[in-house]
Amino acid sequence: MIKKIFSYLVPIKIFEKKSARSKAIEVTWANGELVLDSENTNYSYGSLQRILRYGLKNIGFKKILSMKEILLLGVAGGSVIKTLVDEIKYEGKITGVEIDPEILEVANKYFNLNKIKQLEIIIDDAFEFVLKTNKKYDLIIIDVFEDTTMPNFLFESFFSNRVCDLLKNNGFVLFNTMILNETHNIRNRKYISEINNLHVVKMLPRIEEHNELIIIEKLA
């Protein structure tokens, strides 16, 4: 409790470890809440939770409540899962795909992710999972990072088309992207223009400096 109180004055790191995939994993008290960070960016809770909550709100909490299956590519500490379950009161099935088992250990210990009954965690590469699964989802959340780097496959038409194939009619994709330079900005504009030919696409105004959310809706 003392650390939580003092964290309003200065961040207090309580856990740190090296990870082969994520390089560094840190758990910190900041502004009265526990957050999960990599070496250079916020992975879960804190600003990232606000960003993804903003995306979910734009889709519509009522719409989300009526959904039966949600897929999350990139789990980390699971802050968006907590938003779905604790705030929106979503009761459907959530499947989370995470490549880094070490980060899941931290998520279970500090954020009680393993206590969410409707959550199934699959340790796999997001690209491989999307190729293998035959299930259809009402909402697919893409939040895949290695520190501040986003894998190139996320923006390739083959992957984006496959993700949209996994959507049910009237389903949504919520894609969290990071823009650090003009090359990233051009990448996002190209991605949006290609998807826009097939589906309804909305780019949300940034609420954090470097994160840009893209929402794709698959109409019936």
Side-chain angles (χ1 to χ4, degrees):
M1 182 60 68
I2 293 174
K3 290 180 180 179
K4 180 177 180 179
I5 294 169
F6 275 102
S7 73
Y8 286 99
L9 301 174
V10 61
I12 301 173
K13 188 185 301 182
I14 62 170
F15 176 84
E16 181 178 10
K17 73 172 292 186
K18 297 295 182 182
S19 163
R21 298 291 317 193
S22 305
K23 296 181 182 177
I25 302 171
E26 301 173 358
V27 179
T28 304
W29 279 106
N31 295 314
E33 64 176 337
L34 278 179
V35 300
L36 179 66
D37 296 326
S38 66
E39 185 175 2
N40 297 298
T41 192
N42 176 225
Y43 258 12
S44 285
Y45 305 92
S47 63
L48 182 63
Q49 187 166 24
R50 291 191 294 273
I51 290 164
L52 291 176
R53 182 190 183 279
Y54 175 57
L56 295 173
K57 187 176 181 181
N58 271 269
I59 291 170
F61 288 177
K62 285 187 178 180
K63 285 182 183 177
I64 291 168
L65 280 171
S66 67
M67 295 176 177
K68 292 182 170 59
E69 294 265 359
I70 293 178
L71 172 64
L72 172 60
L73 301 176
V75 175
S79 57
V80 70
I81 297 168
K82 290 294 186 75
T83 299
L84 287 166
V85 174
D86 295 342
E87 184 176 351
I88 301 175
K89 308 300 181 185
Y90 176 73
E91 296 182 349
K93 174 74 178 295
I94 303 172
T95 301
V97 179
E98 173 58 54
I99 197 171
D100 188 351
E102 292 179 279
I103 211 165
L104 290 174
E105 291 177 8
V106 176
N108 291 335
K109 180 177 180 179
Y110 289 95
F111 303 99
N112 299 316
L113 208 60
N114 54 348
K115 294 184 179 180
I116 300 175
K117 294 180 180 179
Q118 71 221 65
L119 173 64
E120 178 187 6
I121 295 289
I122 297 171
I123 299 175
D124 202 353
D125 178 89
F127 183 84
E128 296 293 333
F129 178 85
V130 163
L131 288 184
K132 291 182 291 190
T133 186
N134 293 314
K135 295 189 73 173
K136 296 280 187 176
Y137 301 91
D138 300 286
L139 171 62
I140 299 174
I141 302 169
I142 304 173
D143 191 35
V144 178
F145 295 88
E146 291 184 6
D147 197 26
T148 59
T149 302
M150 300 190 71
N152 290 330
F153 73 79
L154 295 171
F155 299 92
E156 293 172 357
S157 58
F158 177 82
F159 180 78
S160 56
N161 290 339
R162 178 60 183 157
V163 166
C164 290
D165 285 344
L166 298 179
L167 280 181
K168 298 176 185 177
N169 287 338
N170 301 310
F172 292 86
V173 174
L174 174 59
F175 187 12
N176 180 28
T177 72
M178 183 172 287
I179 296 180
L180 300 176
N181 53 49
E182 184 57 24
T183 301
H184 294 163
N185 193 44
I186 293 169
R187 174 205 65 195
N188 274 30
R189 298 304 170 272
K190 181 175 181 289
Y191 175 86
I192 290 168
S193 67
E194 291 174 351
I195 292 288
N196 205 29
N197 293 324
L198 301 170
H199 305 287
V200 177
V201 182
K202 180 166 63 172
M203 184 184 66
L204 301 185
R206 298 185 208 177
I207 57 170
E208 299 287 339
E209 182 180 358
H210 297 299
N211 290 82
E212 186 168 80
L213 291 175
I214 299 169
I215 294 176
I216 303 167
E217 182 178 3
K218 181 178 181 179
L219 299 179

